[in-house]
Amino acid sequence: MALRPDTRELAARARADLRMGVPMVLGIKGAAALVAAAETLSPERLASLRSFGVPLLAITPRRAETLKARAYSEHVARVIVPQDADVRWIQNVADPADDLMMPMKGPLQTERGGEEGIARTAVALAKTAQLLPAAVIVAVDEGPATAAANGLTWLDLSEQDLAWESSALSEIAAARVPMEVSQAGRLHVFRPKDGGEEHYAIEIGRPDRARPVLTRLHSACFTGDVLGSVKCDCGPQLHAAMEAMAREGAGVLLYLNQEGRGIGLANKMRAYSLQDQGFDTVEANHRLGFEDDERDFRIGSEILKSLGFHAVRLMTNNPRKVAMMEGTGIEVVERVPLKVGEGDHNRAYLATKAAKSGHLL
């Protein structure tokens, strides 16, 4: 039926449900389970989940390493939730905020072997919903029937390869926007087909599609770009890139809504809080259960191609951006360094980016 949502649309619905604390039902290769985000789970819903069976808490191997729990997999760890554990126990395992105050959260028992696809996908859904990467799962015999009886979203990925994680973009609108750096400015708005965060392309001047264009892939940073935070170098990089494009007479700024290296503003603030406890930016991400960098720069490549650009002079200190552009069909004829904004508050942060994330600083 034409009105029926497809898998990508159901995945977007499932992410919205998880953010609100509503469970969903996930099916993979004949198995099915109720899935709820650990961060938004309520005591009432935990009790209801327990009526279906014994819950497991799916977390990332990064978080499991912090908790000294065995993952038995490079993709996911499945922690057995004790019978007397409440929501607070689950959320304390998922959230590292009080790790230093309560270092002994275990010993945690984890499952070994068996099908891990549902647990792995549940964590991926929580991540893309910009929640803590942890999900409570309870196996059920009849996925569609369980979903229908409880009014829950049923997402069957048995025939999918998780391609829904990366959604195609469509240009929604564009208009002239005169700016301080250029009176000839134009803003393009791109929207993912899965209803996710919109991304923006700003043309400064009138870039020639036939020549390599000066380009900056800039991930949104509310604290640096808007508040002027000196904890990072994002704000200075943004303004320096726009000024360089103005001097050159043309350029393209891609402003991608991938806050906090792709983990979202709330998780970024959690990482900042951990940094205040003495962890560096990479260690903080790992304790939360994330990788060093969760961003997808293929988004930028797709936007450039849709605007008619195929070669760039890329303003970045991050070799990963260069590799991603070249790996997706955009020729990088030159990497243009962008070393600005170092100060007393971010010197250690920049050193960590160089030492652990390979930035050329």
Side-chain angles (χ1 to χ4, degrees):
M1 292 177 62
L3 294 178
R4 189 182 299 276
D6 63 20
T7 302
R8 190 185 304 278
E9 292 161 340
L10 287 170
R13 182 184 293 178
R15 288 194 291 271
D17 289 346
L18 294 176
R19 285 180 64 85
M20 293 186 293
V22 179
M24 48 82 65
V25 185
L26 178 63
I28 295 180
K29 297 179 180 178
L34 282 154
V35 173
E39 180 178 337
T40 56
L41 182 63
S42 69
E44 295 77 18
R45 284 200 162 111
L46 176 59
S48 295
L49 289 174
R50 278 198 161 111
S51 70
F52 288 87
V54 177
L56 297 175
L57 178 60
I59 58 176
T60 67
R62 291 291 191 190
R63 182 66 183 141
E65 182 180 7
T66 294
L67 296 167
K68 303 296 188 289
R70 291 188 176 182
Y72 296 115
S73 164
E74 61 179 319
H75 303 296
V76 70
R78 293 163 290 166
V79 178
I80 299 170
V81 178
Q83 189 172 1
D84 61 347
D86 58 10
V87 165
R88 190 167 184 270
W89 184 92
I90 289 171
Q91 292 172 344
N92 281 341
V93 172
D95 189 344
D98 65 354
D99 278 359
L100 296 187
M101 292 182 289
M102 298 175 59
M104 294 301 293
K105 296 189 178 185
L108 301 176
Q109 290 186 301
T110 53
E111 279 206 343
R112 182 175 187 174
E115 174 58 45
E116 65 179 40
I118 286 180
R120 181 181 175 185
T121 305
V123 170
L125 279 167
K127 272 189 179 185
T128 55
Q130 297 193 340
L131 299 169
L132 286 167
V136 175
I137 57 176
V138 179
V140 294
D141 292 329
E142 297 292 335
T146 301
N150 295 276
L152 303 178
T153 299
W154 162 245
L155 177 62
D156 186 3
L157 293 176
S158 296
E159 304 300 324
Q160 303 293 318
D161 60 359
L162 303 187
W164 52 265
E165 291 181 19
S166 181
S167 180
L169 295 163
S170 297
E171 184 171 357
I172 302 303
R176 185 178 66 88
V177 180
M179 297 174 287
E180 289 184 3
V181 295
S182 175
Q183 296 297 301
R186 189 168 184 82
L187 172 63
H188 303 259
V189 178
F190 289 83
R191 181 180 298 159
K193 292 184 177 179
D194 66 359
E197 292 275 5
E198 293 172 348
H199 305 283
Y200 319 123
I202 301 96
E203 288 188 69
I204 293 176
R206 293 181 174 83
D208 184 351
R209 267 65 174 170
R211 301 177 58 190
V213 62
L214 187 62
T215 302
R216 166 71 180 164
L217 268 70
H218 189 88
S219 297
C221 178
F222 175 76
T223 51
D225 299 343
V226 178
L227 301 183
S229 167
V230 293
K231 194 174 176 67
C232 63
D233 56 343
C234 301
Q237 284 190 325
L238 173 64
H239 298 295
M242 294 179 73
E243 289 164 4
M245 293 173 190
R247 289 193 300 271
E248 184 136 329
V252 175
L253 170 68
L254 301 177
Y255 197 87
L256 309 181
N257 276 307
Q258 301 190 111
E259 180 81 43
R261 296 187 188 176
I263 67 176
L265 184 58
N267 286 321
K268 175 180 169 180
M269 290 302 98
R270 290 182 171 118
Y272 274 15
S273 181
L274 292 173
Q275 289 171 36
D276 288 340
Q277 296 179 27
F279 300 102
D280 67 34
T281 181
V282 170
E283 292 167 343
N285 270 28
H286 289 178
R287 294 188 78 86
L288 283 164
F290 294 103
E291 295 302 316
D292 305 16
D293 195 335
E294 297 274 352
R295 290 173 292 181
D296 185 354
F297 296 120
R298 291 174 297 182
I299 296 169
S301 175
E302 187 175 344
I303 291 174
L304 285 168
K305 290 176 186 175
S306 69
L307 292 175
F309 297 102
H310 299 281
V312 298
R313 295 168 53 229
L314 192 61
M315 301 188 73
T316 185
N317 304 320
N318 185 355
R320 183 167 170 260
K321 288 184 180 180
V322 175
M324 186 71 79
M325 287 291 98
E326 292 179 334
T328 52
I330 297 292
E331 182 186 3
V332 181
V333 300
E334 179 186 4
R335 184 188 70 83
V336 181
L338 192 58
K339 299 179 183 180
V340 294
E342 182 176 342
D344 292 339
H345 290 279
N346 65 17
R347 191 163 286 116
Y349 161 79
L350 294 176
T352 298
K353 285 210 298 185
K356 294 187 174 183
S357 300
H359 287 224
L360 302 174
L361 299 171

